[in-house]
Amino acid sequence: MTKARNRWPRPRDGENPTGAPDGQSPHESSAGIKPTGLDECLRACAVHSGKLVAGLDRRRTELAEKLRQLLAAQAMAQEPALVTAASGATALIRRAAKGAGGPADALSGELLDALLAVGNKALECGYDDELRLALLISDTVLTRRAKSRAGWRLRARTLEAIGDEAATIEAYERYLALTDDDGFGVAPKIAGMRAGGQRQDELLRLLERECPEAREYSAGPATDVWAEGLALHARGEWSQGEARLVGALLAMERSGSPVQDLQEAVGQYLELRIGINGGEAAGLREVITLYAEQRRNRMRGPVADPAFGGVEWIALGEFRNQIAGKSICLIANSQRVGRSSLGSEIDAYDLVVRFNSYKIDAAATGSRTDIHATIHKHGFNWERPVTTRLVFGGVSGDWKHSLRNRLVPGAQKYLGDESLRWPLRNVGKVGSDVWSSIPTSGFNMLWLLDFLDVSPTLDLIGFDFYESGAYRLQEAMRMPITSVHEYTSEKAWVMERAQSVSDMRISLR
């Protein structure tokens, strides 16, 4: 544990992350949708855009660009001729701030996408101002489109960042009710929050029983009571100080303090208690166990089958043996494949490789999937049975966390281990100085197969590097084709090694 500091509970004077009025708890302000007009939201976006100045924070720089794109889209919808005549961020902000009625006041698909892009980037920033903006955008989207999956997911993620767990669960449940593809792992997240909340309640009830004097202080202002407890502890009066510290924790629970604040306060209380009792106090083991369980469940959710259904982990050499001598085709998630009639040809290969959020239409795409190669950041198609699943990820800890949360027991016979986690970087030792962009799942997989060089046939089907658009599960269609990948470089790499090229097929062997 970190050294205890006189920080928690945090006072909530002035503005707070939910934008709740003074005296109103975050839970009260964010549990339900606040009806918000598009013009009000655009004015807030324009004002926020004016606050962002050039700086070293990459996330806020990217948010500024998303805001510029949103305001430009709105201005174009309202006054296309004026936009042509008067360009510049100042003009866009001025027009958006005025607000307008008519057709431009409707939330078109283009404006919806631009608003969600701003909301997601604001959430990524993580600062209080940006969290308020993301929550306002979710209010606006859901006021106009109550069944927007992306709107509910943005709202849930924002509420989770704010620390309003009850409202977060409610929003995630609304999202799940609108989708058949839980590619973002929402169901286990909800289960983890509920289990963590239950352990937290058990922990606080245990502290309340152990220190009944704490009830006397649980009705007071948590910040003041906490400070009194720390002062008594510093004077060596632990029993009186503990009563106030526990009372402050109970007050935080009563007032609906953010989960993160309550967790940190409990952690600091435990550190003080261990320091006093040397870890020998009666009941301390149970308290620490409950504290650890509530944190662990919230981080990764309960794991029903820690053995993942008896999956067999395979390393680089074992994967090589698995594919040796086999004809292999890699199927792109492109519209070119979706409009084709190559299903039977695809199924004729010895091994069929698909990626991430692939979509099956037997006549066009074929019906078989032998190897599923996917990035660890989402869980699309992880429940679909395959022989081998390779999960790619650049950061080992994040990769392991995703496997614990997303892997479906029994859905794969073989699972790539850490030696197959990030092929281009870890196997090929190709650094960012040589290949600066983040490799796609498709490129990691193709590079690996080319490197192993044990397949007599290695064909890419429908790879046009998204020139024809994406063809994938519906829930994944709103995911942007991310700019962190360099498709031009990947295409050049492929074409340099191509033995033959047709409209639908690129053969590397």
Side-chain angles (χ1 to χ4, degrees), residues 12-90:
R12 297 227 162 236
D13 50 343
E15 294 181 335
N16 60 62
T18 63
D22 291 345
Q24 184 179 22
S25 76
H27 178 77
E28 290 171 339
S29 68
S30 56
I33 303 299
K34 176 186 175 184
T36 305
L38 180 59
D39 56 345
E40 177 185 348
C41 182
L42 289 169
R43 282 195 297 271
C45 288
V47 170
H48 199 89
S49 179
K51 293 179 180 178
L52 297 176
V53 295
L56 299 178
D57 192 319
R58 172 190 58 81
R59 296 168 300 179
R60 276 184 161 163
T61 300
E62 293 172 353
L63 173 60
E65 175 60 20
K66 294 298 182 185
L67 283 163
R68 187 198 66 78
Q69 293 173 6
L70 168 65
L71 298 175
Q74 173 67 357
M76 181 64 75
Q78 292 180 355
E79 305 170 84
L82 184 57
V83 172
T84 303
S87 61
T90 302

Side-chain angles (χ1 to χ4, degrees), residues 175-352:
Y175 164 79
L176 276 183
L178 295 167
T179 183
D180 295 325
D181 302 306
D182 185 18
F184 297 107
V186 169
K189 182 183 287 289
I190 291 175
M193 287 182 178
R194 286 200 167 117
Q198 184 177 347
R199 297 290 91 76
Q200 176 181 287
D201 180 71
E202 292 174 11
L203 168 61
L204 293 174
R205 301 292 74 79
L206 175 59
L207 294 179
E208 196 171 16
R209 290 194 301 274
E210 288 183 346
C211 187
E213 301 89 350
R215 297 190 189 95
E216 179 183 345
Y217 305 101
S218 63
T223 304
D224 296 342
V225 175
W226 184 265
E228 291 173 7
L230 290 179
L232 287 166
H233 163 67
R235 294 200 300 265
E237 301 176 27
W238 170 246
S239 61
Q240 296 183 48
E242 182 181 24
R244 288 164 175 81
L245 293 174
V246 174
L249 295 177
L250 300 177
M252 293 177 72
E253 177 192 32
R254 173 184 51 78
S255 63
S257 291
V259 168
Q260 299 93 322
D261 289 10
L262 185 51
Q263 281 186 336
E264 185 162 350
V266 172
Q268 292 185 11
Y269 161 75
L270 286 177
E271 183 175 3
L272 295 174
R273 182 167 164 180
I274 290 171
I276 290 293
N277 297 289
E280 299 300 328
L284 188 57
R285 184 186 298 269
E286 185 179 358
V287 172
I288 292 175
T289 298
L290 289 170
Y291 174 73
E293 286 183 355
Q294 60 93 21
R295 290 190 68 93
R296 181 172 60 250
N297 277 301
R298 282 170 167 142
M299 287 176 62
R300 70 185 188 202
V303 179
D305 183 356
F308 301 126
V311 68
E312 184 175 335
W313 294 80
I314 57 172
L316 177 63
E318 293 162 319
F319 179 71
R320 178 189 182 279
N321 294 336
Q322 190 180 95
I323 65 173
K326 305 288 181 63
S327 63
I328 301 178
C329 68
L330 295 81
I331 312 302
N333 296 341
S334 68
Q335 286 291 337
R336 184 168 294 186
V337 172
R339 293 193 294 260
S340 77
S341 56
L342 294 178
S344 59
E345 292 184 42
I346 290 171
D347 284 339
Y349 285 81
D350 293 330
L351 297 174
V352 178

Side-chain angles (χ1 to χ4, degrees), residues 116 119-120 123 134 137-138 150-159:
L116 290 170
N120 285 311
L123 175 59
I137 288 173
S138 76
W152 280 110
R153 183 166 176 265
L154 171 62
R155 183 171 188 80
R157 292 169 62 223
T158 304
L159 291 167

